[in-house]
Amino acid sequence: MEQRKVLLAGGNLLQAHTWKGLLETSGIEVDLKGEALIGGVGGLPIEMQTVELWVMNTQLAAAQTLLDALEIEQPQWQCVQCHEINEGSFELCWQCSAQKSETHN
């Protein structure tokens, strides 16, 4: 079974479905995770309120290239070390320099 990686985490459900449809029409298999947890906003910790798009490792580069070509703004992410909010394009936290981590719901 091939491993999957998080392509995008964050954003809202409408954006996530739009990106998922776009990627699937280009032949990239996408799993949407965290959709059922959106109803728990306010009652769940912030790190569990994330919608994530997962793709196969072999399709990760193609999926990222497709989204980059469309100039899709990546959602902000929260550092797991210092909890600072960072822009989606940042690979390192601007506050503590920790690497962007893939949170798993």
Side-chain angles (χ1 to χ4, degrees), residues 20-61:
K20 182 179 187 281
L22 174 72
L23 293 166
E24 288 177 337
T25 59
S26 297
I28 297 172
E29 186 178 329
V30 181
D31 284 331
L32 179 61
K33 296 187 179 188
E35 183 175 16
L37 298 175
I38 296 300
V41 172
L44 292 173
I46 189 74
E47 63 270 9
M48 292 189 70
Q49 299 175 21
T50 303
V51 178
E52 298 175 339
L53 293 179
W54 288 68
V55 298
M56 290 186 201
N57 277 345
T58 56
Q59 295 182 317
L60 182 62

Short mmCIF file of all heavy atoms in Angstrom, two decimals, residues 20-61:
data_model
loop_
_atom_site.label_atom_id
_atom_site.label_comp_id
_atom_site.label_asym_id
_atom_site.label_seq_id
_atom_site.Cartn_x
_atom_site.Cartn_y
_atom_site.Cartn_z
N LYS A 20 -9.85 19.68 -4.27
CA LYS A 20 -9.96 18.23 -4.47
C LYS A 20 -10.50 17.93 -5.87
O LYS A 20 -9.95 17.10 -6.59
CB LYS A 20 -10.87 17.62 -3.40
CG LYS A 20 -11.02 16.11 -3.49
CD LYS A 20 -11.94 15.60 -2.37
CE LYS A 20 -11.99 14.10 -2.29
NZ LYS A 20 -12.84 13.46 -3.26
N GLY A 21 -11.56 18.63 -6.26
CA GLY A 21 -12.13 18.43 -7.59
C GLY A 21 -11.16 18.79 -8.69
O GLY A 21 -11.05 18.07 -9.69
N LEU A 22 -10.45 19.87 -8.52
CA LEU A 22 -9.46 20.30 -9.50
C LEU A 22 -8.36 19.25 -9.68
O LEU A 22 -8.01 18.88 -10.80
CB LEU A 22 -8.83 21.62 -9.06
CG LEU A 22 -7.68 22.12 -9.90
CD1 LEU A 22 -8.18 22.61 -11.25
CD2 LEU A 22 -6.95 23.23 -9.18
N LEU A 23 -7.85 18.75 -8.58
CA LEU A 23 -6.80 17.74 -8.64
C LEU A 23 -7.31 16.44 -9.25
O LEU A 23 -6.62 15.82 -10.06
CB LEU A 23 -6.22 17.50 -7.24
CG LEU A 23 -5.45 18.68 -6.65
CD1 LEU A 23 -5.22 18.47 -5.16
CD2 LEU A 23 -4.13 18.89 -7.38
N GLU A 24 -8.51 16.03 -8.88
CA GLU A 24 -9.06 14.78 -9.40
C GLU A 24 -9.32 14.85 -10.89
O GLU A 24 -9.14 13.85 -11.60
CB GLU A 24 -10.32 14.40 -8.64
CG GLU A 24 -10.02 13.91 -7.24
CD GLU A 24 -11.26 13.59 -6.42
OE1 GLU A 24 -12.35 14.12 -6.71
OE2 GLU A 24 -11.12 12.80 -5.46
N THR A 25 -9.71 16.01 -11.41
CA THR A 25 -9.92 16.13 -12.86
C THR A 25 -8.59 16.07 -13.61
O THR A 25 -8.58 15.82 -14.81
CB THR A 25 -10.65 17.44 -13.24
OG1 THR A 25 -9.91 18.55 -12.79
CG2 THR A 25 -12.05 17.46 -12.67
N SER A 26 -7.49 16.26 -12.89
CA SER A 26 -6.15 16.15 -13.50
C SER A 26 -5.55 14.77 -13.27
O SER A 26 -4.37 14.56 -13.53
CB SER A 26 -5.22 17.22 -12.91
OG SER A 26 -5.71 18.49 -13.22
N GLY A 27 -6.35 13.84 -12.75
CA GLY A 27 -5.89 12.46 -12.58
C GLY A 27 -5.15 12.19 -11.28
O GLY A 27 -4.52 11.16 -11.13
N ILE A 28 -5.24 13.11 -10.32
CA ILE A 28 -4.57 12.93 -9.04
C ILE A 28 -5.60 12.47 -8.01
O ILE A 28 -6.61 13.13 -7.80
CB ILE A 28 -3.88 14.23 -8.59
CG1 ILE A 28 -2.79 14.60 -9.61
CG2 ILE A 28 -3.30 14.09 -7.19
CD1 ILE A 28 -2.17 15.94 -9.41
N GLU A 29 -5.33 11.33 -7.38
CA GLU A 29 -6.23 10.78 -6.38
C GLU A 29 -6.06 11.56 -5.08
O GLU A 29 -4.94 11.73 -4.59
CB GLU A 29 -5.90 9.31 -6.16
CG GLU A 29 -6.86 8.60 -5.25
CD GLU A 29 -6.51 7.13 -5.10
OE1 GLU A 29 -5.98 6.54 -6.05
OE2 GLU A 29 -6.78 6.61 -4.01
N VAL A 30 -7.16 12.03 -4.51
CA VAL A 30 -7.12 12.89 -3.32
C VAL A 30 -8.06 12.36 -2.24
O VAL A 30 -9.19 11.97 -2.54
CB VAL A 30 -7.55 14.34 -3.67
CG1 VAL A 30 -7.49 15.23 -2.45
CG2 VAL A 30 -6.70 14.90 -4.80
N ASP A 31 -7.59 12.35 -1.00
CA ASP A 31 -8.44 12.05 0.15
C ASP A 31 -8.62 13.34 0.94
O ASP A 31 -7.66 14.06 1.18
CB ASP A 31 -7.79 11.01 1.07
CG ASP A 31 -7.86 9.61 0.51
OD1 ASP A 31 -8.81 9.32 -0.24
OD2 ASP A 31 -6.97 8.80 0.83
N LEU A 32 -9.85 13.61 1.34
CA LEU A 32 -10.17 14.78 2.15
C LEU A 32 -10.41 14.29 3.57
O LEU A 32 -11.28 13.45 3.81
CB LEU A 32 -11.42 15.47 1.60
CG LEU A 32 -11.92 16.71 2.33
CD1 LEU A 32 -10.87 17.81 2.32
CD2 LEU A 32 -13.20 17.20 1.69
N LYS A 33 -9.61 14.78 4.52
CA LYS A 33 -9.74 14.35 5.91
C LYS A 33 -10.06 15.54 6.80
O LYS A 33 -9.66 16.65 6.52
CB LYS A 33 -8.44 13.69 6.38
CG LYS A 33 -8.13 12.42 5.62
CD LYS A 33 -6.95 11.70 6.19
CE LYS A 33 -6.70 10.42 5.41
NZ LYS A 33 -5.69 9.60 6.01
N GLY A 34 -10.78 15.28 7.86
CA GLY A 34 -11.12 16.31 8.82
C GLY A 34 -12.47 16.96 8.58
O GLY A 34 -12.90 17.80 9.35
N GLU A 35 -13.13 16.56 7.51
CA GLU A 35 -14.42 17.15 7.14
C GLU A 35 -15.47 16.97 8.24
O GLU A 35 -16.21 17.90 8.56
CB GLU A 35 -14.89 16.53 5.84
CG GLU A 35 -16.17 17.08 5.29
CD GLU A 35 -16.51 16.49 3.93
OE1 GLU A 35 -15.94 15.46 3.53
OE2 GLU A 35 -17.36 17.08 3.28
N ALA A 36 -15.50 15.81 8.85
CA ALA A 36 -16.50 15.52 9.87
C ALA A 36 -16.25 16.29 11.16
O ALA A 36 -17.16 16.49 11.96
CB ALA A 36 -16.54 14.03 10.17
N LEU A 37 -15.02 16.76 11.36
CA LEU A 37 -14.68 17.46 12.60
C LEU A 37 -15.05 18.94 12.57
O LEU A 37 -15.02 19.60 13.59
CB LEU A 37 -13.18 17.32 12.89
CG LEU A 37 -12.70 15.89 13.13
CD1 LEU A 37 -11.19 15.87 13.29
CD2 LEU A 37 -13.37 15.32 14.36
N ILE A 38 -15.40 19.46 11.40
CA ILE A 38 -15.72 20.88 11.27
C ILE A 38 -16.91 21.25 12.16
O ILE A 38 -16.99 22.34 12.70
CB ILE A 38 -16.00 21.25 9.80
CG1 ILE A 38 -14.73 21.06 8.96
CG2 ILE A 38 -16.50 22.68 9.67
CD1 ILE A 38 -13.55 21.89 9.39
N GLY A 39 -17.84 20.34 12.37
CA GLY A 39 -18.99 20.61 13.22
C GLY A 39 -18.62 20.80 14.68
O GLY A 39 -19.41 21.31 15.46
N GLY A 40 -17.40 20.44 15.05
CA GLY A 40 -16.96 20.58 16.44
C GLY A 40 -16.22 21.86 16.72
O GLY A 40 -15.63 22.02 17.78
N VAL A 41 -16.24 22.82 15.79
CA VAL A 41 -15.53 24.08 15.98
C VAL A 41 -16.01 24.72 17.27
O VAL A 41 -17.19 24.84 17.54
CB VAL A 41 -15.74 25.02 14.78
CG1 VAL A 41 -15.18 26.40 15.07
CG2 VAL A 41 -15.08 24.44 13.54
N GLY A 42 -15.04 25.12 18.08
CA GLY A 42 -15.34 25.72 19.37
C GLY A 42 -15.25 24.71 20.50
O GLY A 42 -14.91 25.06 21.62
N GLY A 43 -15.52 23.44 20.21
CA GLY A 43 -15.46 22.41 21.23
C GLY A 43 -14.24 21.53 21.12
O GLY A 43 -13.96 20.73 22.00
N LEU A 44 -13.50 21.67 20.02
CA LEU A 44 -12.30 20.86 19.79
C LEU A 44 -11.06 21.75 19.79
O LEU A 44 -11.15 22.92 19.43
CB LEU A 44 -12.38 20.16 18.43
CG LEU A 44 -13.42 19.06 18.27
CD1 LEU A 44 -13.49 18.60 16.83
CD2 LEU A 44 -13.10 17.89 19.17
N PRO A 45 -9.91 21.19 20.15
CA PRO A 45 -8.67 21.97 20.05
C PRO A 45 -8.44 22.41 18.61
O PRO A 45 -8.83 21.72 17.66
CB PRO A 45 -7.58 20.98 20.49
CG PRO A 45 -8.30 19.88 21.19
CD PRO A 45 -9.69 19.85 20.64
N ILE A 46 -7.78 23.55 18.43
CA ILE A 46 -7.56 24.14 17.10
C ILE A 46 -6.86 23.17 16.15
O ILE A 46 -7.17 23.13 14.97
CB ILE A 46 -6.80 25.48 17.20
CG1 ILE A 46 -6.78 26.20 15.85
CG2 ILE A 46 -5.39 25.28 17.70
CD1 ILE A 46 -8.07 26.82 15.47
N GLU A 47 -5.93 22.36 16.67
CA GLU A 47 -5.20 21.44 15.78
C GLU A 47 -6.07 20.32 15.24
O GLU A 47 -5.70 19.64 14.29
CB GLU A 47 -3.95 20.88 16.47
CG GLU A 47 -4.22 20.04 17.69
CD GLU A 47 -4.25 20.85 18.98
OE1 GLU A 47 -4.24 22.09 18.96
OE2 GLU A 47 -4.31 20.21 20.04
N MET A 48 -7.25 20.12 15.79
CA MET A 48 -8.15 19.09 15.29
C MET A 48 -9.23 19.65 14.36
O MET A 48 -10.05 18.91 13.86
CB MET A 48 -8.81 18.36 16.45
CG MET A 48 -7.84 17.52 17.25
SD MET A 48 -8.66 16.48 18.45
CE MET A 48 -9.45 15.30 17.38
N GLN A 49 -9.22 20.96 14.14
CA GLN A 49 -10.25 21.60 13.31
C GLN A 49 -9.73 21.86 11.90
O GLN A 49 -10.18 22.77 11.24
CB GLN A 49 -10.68 22.91 13.96
CG GLN A 49 -11.29 22.74 15.31
CD GLN A 49 -11.58 24.06 15.97
OE1 GLN A 49 -11.71 25.08 15.30
NE2 GLN A 49 -11.70 24.07 17.28
N THR A 50 -8.83 21.06 11.43
CA THR A 50 -8.17 21.28 10.16
C THR A 50 -8.70 20.34 9.09
O THR A 50 -8.85 19.15 9.33
CB THR A 50 -6.65 21.07 10.31
OG1 THR A 50 -6.17 21.95 11.32
CG2 THR A 50 -5.92 21.36 9.03
N VAL A 51 -8.96 20.89 7.92
CA VAL A 51 -9.31 20.09 6.75
C VAL A 51 -8.01 19.83 6.01
O VAL A 51 -7.22 20.74 5.79
CB VAL A 51 -10.31 20.83 5.84
CG1 VAL A 51 -10.62 20.02 4.61
CG2 VAL A 51 -11.57 21.16 6.60
N GLU A 52 -7.76 18.58 5.65
CA GLU A 52 -6.51 18.21 5.00
C GLU A 52 -6.77 17.50 3.67
O GLU A 52 -7.69 16.70 3.57
CB GLU A 52 -5.68 17.27 5.89
CG GLU A 52 -5.27 17.89 7.19
CD GLU A 52 -4.57 16.91 8.11
OE1 GLU A 52 -4.73 15.67 7.94
OE2 GLU A 52 -3.87 17.36 9.01
N LEU A 53 -5.94 17.80 2.68
CA LEU A 53 -5.94 17.08 1.41
C LEU A 53 -4.71 16.18 1.39
O LEU A 53 -3.59 16.66 1.54
CB LEU A 53 -5.88 18.05 0.23
CG LEU A 53 -7.10 18.93 0.02
CD1 LEU A 53 -6.88 19.85 -1.17
CD2 LEU A 53 -8.35 18.11 -0.20
N TRP A 54 -4.93 14.90 1.21
CA TRP A 54 -3.85 13.91 1.19
C TRP A 54 -3.75 13.34 -0.23
O TRP A 54 -4.76 13.04 -0.85
CB TRP A 54 -4.16 12.77 2.16
CG TRP A 54 -4.04 13.14 3.60
CD1 TRP A 54 -4.82 14.00 4.30
CD2 TRP A 54 -3.08 12.65 4.52
NE1 TRP A 54 -4.41 14.08 5.60
CE2 TRP A 54 -3.34 13.25 5.77
CE3 TRP A 54 -2.01 11.76 4.42
CZ2 TRP A 54 -2.58 12.99 6.90
CZ3 TRP A 54 -1.26 11.50 5.55
CH2 TRP A 54 -1.54 12.11 6.77
N VAL A 55 -2.52 13.17 -0.70
CA VAL A 55 -2.27 12.56 -2.01
C VAL A 55 -1.19 11.49 -1.85
O VAL A 55 -0.45 11.49 -0.87
CB VAL A 55 -1.84 13.60 -3.07
CG1 VAL A 55 -2.93 14.62 -3.31
CG2 VAL A 55 -0.55 14.29 -2.67
N MET A 56 -1.09 10.61 -2.83
CA MET A 56 -0.05 9.59 -2.81
C MET A 56 1.32 10.25 -2.96
O MET A 56 1.44 11.28 -3.62
CB MET A 56 -0.26 8.59 -3.94
CG MET A 56 -1.45 7.72 -3.75
SD MET A 56 -1.49 6.48 -5.06
CE MET A 56 -3.20 6.03 -5.01
N ASN A 57 2.32 9.65 -2.31
CA ASN A 57 3.69 10.18 -2.39
C ASN A 57 4.12 10.41 -3.84
O ASN A 57 4.75 11.42 -4.15
CB ASN A 57 4.68 9.23 -1.72
CG ASN A 57 4.75 9.42 -0.23
OD1 ASN A 57 4.28 10.42 0.31
ND2 ASN A 57 5.33 8.44 0.44
N THR A 58 3.77 9.49 -4.71
CA THR A 58 4.20 9.58 -6.10
C THR A 58 3.51 10.71 -6.86
O THR A 58 3.98 11.13 -7.91
CB THR A 58 3.94 8.25 -6.85
OG1 THR A 58 2.55 7.92 -6.73
CG2 THR A 58 4.81 7.14 -6.28
N GLN A 59 2.40 11.21 -6.33
CA GLN A 59 1.66 12.28 -7.00
C GLN A 59 1.81 13.64 -6.29
O GLN A 59 1.26 14.64 -6.75
CB GLN A 59 0.17 11.92 -7.09
CG GLN A 59 -0.09 10.72 -7.96
CD GLN A 59 -1.57 10.42 -8.05
OE1 GLN A 59 -2.29 10.46 -7.06
NE2 GLN A 59 -2.04 10.12 -9.26
N LEU A 60 2.56 13.67 -5.20
CA LEU A 60 2.70 14.89 -4.41
C LEU A 60 3.30 16.04 -5.22
O LEU A 60 2.76 17.15 -5.22
CB LEU A 60 3.54 14.62 -3.16
CG LEU A 60 3.73 15.79 -2.20
CD1 LEU A 60 2.38 16.24 -1.64
CD2 LEU A 60 4.67 15.41 -1.08
N ALA A 61 4.38 15.80 -5.91
CA ALA A 61 5.04 16.86 -6.69
C ALA A 61 4.12 17.39 -7.79
O ALA A 61 4.02 18.61 -7.99
CB ALA A 61 6.35 16.36 -7.28
#
